[in-house]
Amino acid sequence: MITNTPFYTPNHQKYEKDPVLPLPLTFDRVMEHRPPTSTSALFNLPVEILGVVLEFVESSSLATLALVNSDCRQLARSRQFADVCLGYSKSSEALLCLLASETSERRLNNGSTYMPSLGACIRRLSVSIDEYTLRQRFDLPNSSFNGSVGLGLGLTLTEAEQPEWQRILKAIKENYLPQVQATICSIQALPHLEILNWEEDYNLSQGFYSAIACSSIQHLKLFHPIIDKSFEITSLQPKAWPLRTLHLELTCELWMKETTAALCASILRLCAPSLETLVWIHRGHKDYQTFGDGPIPEFPCLRNLHVKMLQLEDNSIMGAFLNSRLVNLKIVHETDILCQSLGGCGRIPSLEAFSMANPPLDFLKANTQLLMVDFANGGFSQEIIEAQILPILSTFLNLTSLKVSWPKSRSLLPETSLCLIGALHSLKYLCISCGRSKDWRRNWEVDHKAIRRHLSPLRYLQRLALCGDTYRASINSSNFERYYIDTFATADDLGYSGVPLDRVPSDVRRLMLDSQLGKPYWEKRHEEKIMLEAKEYINIFQNLEWIYLGERVIYFEDNGCRMRSGRVVAPFEMAREWSYFSSIFGMS
């Protein structure tokens, strides 16, 4: 499920790209319809052509362009400040100070500034403070850190550093972030803001939510703002909020019967008419969500829905979502009420991609039009997979992508299951996981010959991923579970085949006894092994673009020649991140 949410998430998702970049606003908009003061012919061009010209200016030259005159400065700013991230750097503080000054000026001048404003150029604003930036600014020694500062949570501090960090974090919490919040709440300060990405553990006020509901924001990500009491948005202005994308991930610090249900319901009611994509990750314990006794909204534009750990009080919320024309649906950590809603909703004709570990079988039977199915990390036994899941999938005539997992206890992939998968002739993308695919100890001793034999009917196959596969270091080796851990060099690797270990020179013997020193030799041996297997796969699957096996991706390229012998096989190592396969198989 590719939702195209226009959010930049630094350091959190290694493989995640930012699919929507905010383009600079046209010159007339950043000038707020002021006429240019310059007599240059450049500003006689139509604003659309002027925008194209600006694209060809090197980024390094924008600062020089800004020095020419006030019009050129605003033209350069439209690119320089289209996308802004407020950390706690000196430049962030200076920018925040300038925005506050412009806000005060607008209040005294009927919403206008005397000179073209910087705030008018900002289309996307991210609020994210990381430890690395703070250490650079305050000249503190670097140490290992884990992404966002989170106002002191998760920092790696020495005893000597703690007082200094407490001072810095107090300044951020009591001075800096309140200023950021006030700037965002002032609609006049950022008249063209379309994308807001909040990524700080901070208690945003009730007024903040009411203010952004009246703003021009169309794409909103609320990542871990703290909620410590029950409230809802009380907006006097719009009865509808033209929000198109919403990522809702609140941090709950509630007492007793307090809940975020009223806030979440009020947000959803306001943006329901225009909402296209919703990512709702819920982490509150016993914080049950409902639309309550109020009206249940309709979501006519909702196409992409991703819910995780969502606790529901009743069917009102999921019922409203499932009545929309969904195209992509992903559910993580389902609950009984959620499964009841899904099992009873019947066919969703518009649905193309579906991801859920253990979905109701009635839902699968009703939605045979699906193109992509992802059973995530798997909640089915082998018996259910063979007796029910794969037979149901055989009725999916247009299924092109499948991701399926066998239980962790399985050390062999049943050939009967492979036969059933081989009968899904429309498949183009297939990801199979078996055994302990994420653990350092692996138990699936893969049989590539059986896989090739039973999957050979899949003549349209373009991508194949085998997750959790392990091998024996040698024919006589009995321990295949530690294959990726025991990365020692062998006597054959070092040219000492048949030589007793005590006669091998000590510097060479270290390579055979130390897994880190011997790893380069193991890597070479492992690469040769999977290259041989990959070449066998390309002999069977003529349309194969790449294959993942042995924790490596191998690409196949025509290289200007249609013959198999002319293909180039290029391997590279890839990190063990399951989310990578989710994006590759169309379910990110």
Side-chain angles (χ1 to χ4, degrees):
M1 178 175 73
I2 302 177
T3 60
N4 287 328
T5 51
F7 297 123
Y8 174 59
T9 310
N11 301 326
H12 297 320
Q13 296 290 338
K14 182 177 180 181
Y15 293 106
E16 192 172 294
K17 292 183 178 180
D18 181 21
V20 182
L21 294 174
L23 296 174
L25 290 162
T26 55
F27 183 65
D28 60 328
R29 293 189 66 190
V30 296
M31 292 291 288
E32 298 182 84
H33 304 289
R34 289 184 177 88
T37 59
S38 172
T39 58
S40 169
L42 178 67
F43 295 104
N44 292 328
L45 294 172
V47 291
E48 295 81 7
I49 296 177
L50 187 58
V52 173
V53 171
L54 184 64
E55 289 180 13
F56 288 93
V57 178
E58 294 289 339
S59 299
S60 58
S61 301
L62 290 174
T64 305
L65 175 64
L67 296 175
V68 176
N69 55 43
S70 61
D71 293 329
C72 288
R73 180 180 64 180
Q74 194 68 353
L75 182 62
R77 278 175 165 183
S78 69
R79 248 187 70 183
Q80 291 173 312
F81 295 98
D83 186 3
V84 170
C85 181
L86 289 177
Y88 192 52
S89 62
K90 290 183 179 179
S91 59
S92 292
E93 282 200 295
L95 175 59
L96 193 61
C97 183
L98 177 58
L99 291 174
S101 175
E102 290 180 352
T103 303
S104 300
E105 194 173 310
R106 287 179 186 275
R107 286 173 182 164
L108 298 173
N109 196 33
N110 296 322
S112 299
T113 54
Y114 297 110
M115 297 290 289
S117 71
L118 186 147
C121 301
I122 298 176
R123 299 191 73 180
R124 173 164 61 189
L125 179 65
S126 299
V127 182
S128 179
I129 303 171
D130 63 90
E131 181 182 343
Y132 178 75
T133 301
L134 296 182
R135 288 187 180 276
Q136 278 194 322
R137 175 176 177 179
F138 296 99
D139 197 25
L140 294 169
N142 286 328
S143 66
S144 59
F145 61 93
N146 184 20
S148 176
V149 170
L151 295 182
L153 298 177
L155 285 173
T156 307
L157 303 179
T158 65
E159 186 174 346
E161 289 178 330
Q162 289 182 8
E164 179 67 7
W165 276 110
Q166 290 298 325
R167 184 189 66 79
I168 294 170
L169 297 177
K170 182 179 180 181
I172 293 173
K173 185 175 182 179
E174 296 183 2
N175 299 319
Y176 182 70
L177 287 178
Q179 292 178 34
V180 173
Q181 181 179 199
T183 299
I184 296 172
C185 288
S186 174
I187 299 174
Q188 292 181 330
L190 303 166
H192 300 133
L193 183 64
E194 296 177 7
I195 306 167
L196 175 60
N197 179 8
W198 184 280
E199 294 202 10
E200 283 304 316
D201 299 348
Y202 179 72
N203 194 339
L204 296 170
S205 68
Q206 181 177 354
F208 174 86
Y209 294 94
S210 297
I212 60 174
C214 302
S215 70
S216 58
I217 295 172
Q218 298 181 33
H219 307 280
L220 175 64
K221 181 174 184 178
L222 295 173
F223 186 75
H224 290 185
I226 296 172
I227 307 295
D228 60 2
K229 63 180 180 180
S230 298
F231 64 88
E232 61 182 316
I233 293 179
T234 53
S235 176
L236 300 178
Q237 282 197 26
K239 293 184 179 178
W241 180 6
L243 204 62
R244 294 171 52 201
T245 303
L246 174 62
H247 180 122
L248 194 59
E249 191 169 354
L250 307 178
T251 296
C252 299
E253 295 184 0
L254 302 165
W255 290 92
M256 302 299 287
K257 295 183 179 181
E258 299 280 338
T259 175
T260 64
L263 172 61
C264 295
S266 62
I267 292 175
L268 291 172
R269 283 195 177 98
L270 284 170
C271 67
S274 58
L275 192 64
E276 299 170 9
T277 295
L278 172 61
V279 178
W280 191 357
I281 301 175
H282 188 250
R283 303 183 185 277
H285 179 60
K286 294 185 178 180
D287 182 25
Y288 297 102
Q289 301 298 311
T290 178
F291 281 128
D293 298 329
I296 297 178
E298 295 182 357
F299 294 84
C301 300
L302 188 62
R303 299 294 179 266
N304 308 296
L305 176 63
H306 174 186
V307 295
K308 181 176 181 179
M309 297 185 290
L310 185 61
Q311 299 181 64
L312 299 172
E313 185 175 313
D314 51 42
N315 292 322
S316 59
I317 287 179
M318 279 307 297
F321 292 156
L322 296 174
N323 281 333
S324 61
R325 290 179 290 175
L326 290 173
V327 176
N328 303 297
L329 173 60
K330 182 173 183 177
I331 298 172
V332 182
H333 300 310
E334 61 273 11
T335 62
D336 290 341
I337 293 179
L338 195 151
C339 288
Q340 290 171 11
S341 299
L342 203 61
C345 76
R347 181 182 173 89
I348 305 176
S350 56
L351 194 63
E352 296 179 1
F354 176 64
S355 175
M356 185 174 175
N358 193 359
L361 298 182
D362 288 342
F363 180 82
L364 291 178
K365 291 176 183 178
N367 288 275
T368 58
Q369 82 285 354
L370 289 171
L371 304 179
M372 303 176 183
V373 176
D374 172 11
F375 292 114
N377 295 332
F380 296 116
S381 65
Q382 177 192 330
E383 293 73 20
I384 292 179
I385 292 175
E386 290 190 0
Q388 299 187 59
I389 298 300
L390 293 177
I392 290 174
L393 294 181
S394 68
T395 65
F396 288 40
L397 301 182
N398 298 313
L399 186 66
T400 58
S401 179
L402 174 63
K403 188 149 74 80
V404 61
S405 301
W406 270 258
K408 290 183 179 181
S409 58
R410 294 297 307 178
S411 59
L412 292 173
L413 188 61
E415 294 194 32
T416 51
S417 298
L418 288 172
C419 286
L420 291 170
I421 294 175
L424 305 176
H425 295 153
S426 59
L427 280 180
K428 294 181 180 179
Y429 315 126
L430 175 61
C431 180
I432 296 175
S433 175
C434 184
R436 296 189 293 265
S437 61
K438 295 185 179 181
D439 298 347
W440 64 269
R441 292 181 64 184
R442 302 300 180 87
N443 58 340
W444 176 28
E445 189 177 10
V446 63
D447 185 348
H448 286 294
K449 290 183 179 179
I451 292 174
R452 288 192 288 264
R453 182 170 65 254
H454 293 298
L455 298 187
S456 59
L458 303 179
R459 56 195 180 114
Y460 301 112
L461 196 64
Q462 297 176 11
R463 302 173 184 171
L464 176 62
L466 304 176
C467 302
D469 54 328
T470 188
Y471 306 85
R472 295 180 186 270
S474 64
I475 297 176
N476 299 324
S477 175
S478 59
N479 188 358
F480 55 84
E481 291 187 336
R482 295 179 55 89
Y483 177 74
Y484 295 103
I485 301 299
D486 295 341
T487 55
F488 305 106
T490 65
D492 290 340
D493 294 334
L494 303 170
Y496 286 88
S497 179
V499 178
L501 188 61
D502 57 354
R503 295 188 179 182
V504 176
S506 59
D507 57 333
V508 177
R509 188 162 62 241
R510 288 178 61 195
L511 302 176
M512 301 168 64
L513 300 175
D514 189 311
S515 60
Q516 290 301 316
L517 294 177
K519 191 168 184 178
Y521 297 91
W522 178 91
E523 290 280 4
K524 181 180 179 181
R525 196 178 345 115
H526 178 62
E527 181 178 305
E528 291 173 352
K529 184 195 301 284
I530 65 166
M531 289 287 284
L532 290 174
E533 295 293 350
K535 289 176 180 178
E536 292 297 326
Y537 276 95
I538 196 61
N539 287 334
I540 301 295
F541 303 102
Q542 302 295 311
N543 295 308
L544 202 62
E545 296 173 355
W546 64 252
I547 184 171
Y548 176 82
L549 72 163
E551 295 189 357
R552 304 290 185 276
V553 172
I554 301 174
Y555 283 101
F556 304 100
E557 301 172 355
D558 284 336
N559 201 27
C561 179
R562 294 182 179 275
M563 297 178 61
R564 274 178 281 152
S565 58
R567 295 197 172 201
V568 176
V569 185
F572 68 90
E573 185 172 359
M574 189 189 69
R576 303 179 197 172
E577 298 219 12
W578 189 259
S579 60
Y580 178 77
F581 290 106
S582 295
S583 62
I584 289 295
F585 286 86
M587 291 282 185
S588 70

